[in-house]
């Protein structure tokens, strides 16, 4: 099952565990803390990225303490802290509202140092056009080269009614310069939060095609295949995207040749 529906939780909540049976290189957990509360963890055999979704936090790791605050994922850019493998860490709510943090993880064995990505370092860029224009915010992508082992993290915000991951693309076969071989995971938020989007997932040879209704707090695992997303009319759609694979960290999506014509149409 690729689609994981949101569940009520408080404290630490594992969404995609290491033994999830679908993905080999990605995990996801959520942390929700009331003001003054803290969560202490250990990264184990995984490098992790603590992405601030809302609230104000401190993250202590490796003798350093990093800080950040964010109203929500739609209004402000992220603060993210890289947590190397085999490191104890603490996340603390130092604000006066509920804190929400996503913990993205991937297996790692190298020796790395903690670091922070500040909102000023997250540069939003517009991708696509017409009703497939969206905003992409890289968090740990090129800036992670030499500083992380394999994890890639970013965010996408769909305008109401718009598509992203479009033209449809995949990255499940390794062909240098043409296509990367990387798993992916999406974690969704909607504004207003009662909204919805549609996650498509399809493959050729043999043809399989599925559509999933995604709501605020849902998660979707992408081991392979094409995977465009559309926001419901009237609702902005956000997703945290996490990618990792066995090979390099170069993002090389392969667009579906049946649909690339839209990039030239009307230009």
């Amino acid at each position: 099952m690729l689609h994981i529906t949101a569940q009520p939780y408080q404290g630490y909540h594992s969404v995609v565990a290491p033994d999830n049976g679908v993905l080999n290189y990605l995990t996801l957990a959520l942390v929700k803390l009331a003001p003054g509360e803290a969560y202490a963890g250990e990264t184990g055999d995984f490098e992790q990225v603590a992405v601030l979704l809302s609230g104000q936090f401190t993250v202590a790791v490796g003798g350093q303490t990093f800080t950040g605050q964010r109203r929500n994922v739609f209004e402000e850019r992220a603060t993210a802290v890289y947590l190397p493998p085999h490191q104890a860490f603490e996340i603390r709510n130092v604000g006066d509202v509920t804190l929400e943090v996503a913990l993205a993880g991937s297996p790692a064995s190298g020796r790395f140092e903690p670091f922070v990505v500040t909102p000023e370092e997250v540069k939003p860029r517009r991708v696509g056009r017409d009703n497939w224009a969206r905003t992409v915010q890289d968090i740990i992508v090129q800036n992670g080269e030499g500083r992380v082992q394999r994890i890639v993290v970013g965010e996408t915000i769909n305008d109401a009614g718009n598509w992203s991951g479009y033209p449809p693309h995949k990255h499940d076969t390794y062909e240098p310069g043409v296509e990367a071989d990387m798993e992916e995971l999406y974690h969704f938020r909607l504004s207003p939060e009662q909204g919805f989007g549609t996650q498509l997932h399809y493959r050729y040879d043999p043809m399989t095609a599925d559509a999933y209704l995604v709501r605020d707090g849902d998660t979707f695992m992408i081991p392979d295949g094409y995977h465009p997303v559309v926001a419901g009319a009237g609702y902005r759609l956000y997703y945290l995207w996490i990618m990792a694979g066995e090979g390099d960290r170069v993002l090389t999506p392969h667009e579906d040749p049946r649909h690339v014509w839209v990039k030239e149409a009307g230009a």
Side-chain angles (χ1 to χ4, degrees):
M1 189 67 176
L2 305 181
H3 182 206
I4 302 168
T5 57
Q7 302 295 323
Y9 75 96
Q10 186 68 30
Y12 178 88
H13 173 54
S14 176
V15 180
V16 178
D19 57 351
N20 61 81
V22 176
L23 302 177
N24 297 311
Y25 296 104
L26 294 173
T27 65
L28 176 68
L30 300 172
V31 176
K32 181 184 290 185
L33 301 174
E37 289 185 337
Y39 168 76
E42 214 279 343
T43 55
D45 294 330
F46 293 78
E47 57 184 354
Q48 296 187 29
V49 180
V51 180
L52 177 58
L53 301 177
S54 64
Q56 185 175 359
F57 73 178
T58 61
V59 179
V61 57
Q64 302 183 67
T65 299
F66 305 101
T67 64
Q69 60 182 15
R70 190 181 198 182
R71 282 194 294 271
N72 60 64
V73 297
F74 293 97
E75 294 185 51
E76 295 182 325
R77 286 169 279 175
T79 297
V81 178
Y82 176 75
L83 310 172
H86 304 291
Q87 288 275 350
F89 66 92
E90 182 195 75
I91 299 172
R92 181 173 295 274
N93 184 345
V94 294
D96 54 8
V97 298
T98 298
L99 171 70
E100 288 190 281
V101 178
L103 283 173
S106 185
S109 57
R111 296 183 62 84
F112 303 99
E113 296 297 322
F115 65 89
V116 65
V117 178
T118 66
E120 294 74 24
E121 296 174 280
V122 178
K123 304 300 184 185
R125 53 191 169 89
R126 292 292 284 176
V127 177
R129 59 182 177 80
D130 302 331
N131 68 336
W132 44 285
R134 65 274 194 189
T135 300
V136 176
Q137 301 178 155
D138 294 345
I139 297 175
I140 296 181
V141 185
Q142 291 181 341
N143 61 331
E145 285 302 308
R147 306 170 77 189
V148 311
Q149 183 161 339
R150 59 167 56 93
I151 198 164
V152 177
V153 181
E155 300 173 321
T156 295
I157 299 175
N158 284 23
D159 300 336
N162 276 23
W163 291 83
S164 61
Y166 205 89
H169 68 264
K170 70 182 185 75
H171 34 76
D172 56 28
T173 301
Y174 183 62
E175 188 176 348
V178 177
E179 183 174 349
D181 185 5
M182 302 178 78
E183 300 175 342
E184 192 164 19
L185 184 156
Y186 290 169
H187 177 69
F188 294 95
R189 296 296 166 103
L190 275 297
S191 178
E193 66 179 18
Q194 74 269 21
F196 65 92
T198 301
Q199 171 74 64
L200 303 182
H201 181 252
Y202 68 93
R203 313 177 186 91
Y204 297 106
D205 303 321
M207 180 68 187
T208 63
D210 296 286
Y212 302 83
L213 188 73
V214 292
R215 300 183 183 273
D216 189 77
D218 286 3
T219 300
F220 191 76
M221 298 183 287
I222 307 165
D224 56 19
Y226 299 96
H227 45 277
V229 182
V230 62
Y235 296 101
R236 287 190 296 163
L237 177 148
Y238 158 99
Y239 55 92
L240 174 71
W241 43 267
I242 312 159
M243 301 177 68
E246 181 60 34
D248 57 41
R249 299 178 62 255
V250 177
L251 302 188
T252 316
H254 186 196
E255 294 175 335
D256 188 337
R258 297 160 180 82
H259 305 300
V260 294
W261 66 268
V262 301
K263 297 173 73 173
E264 302 298 330

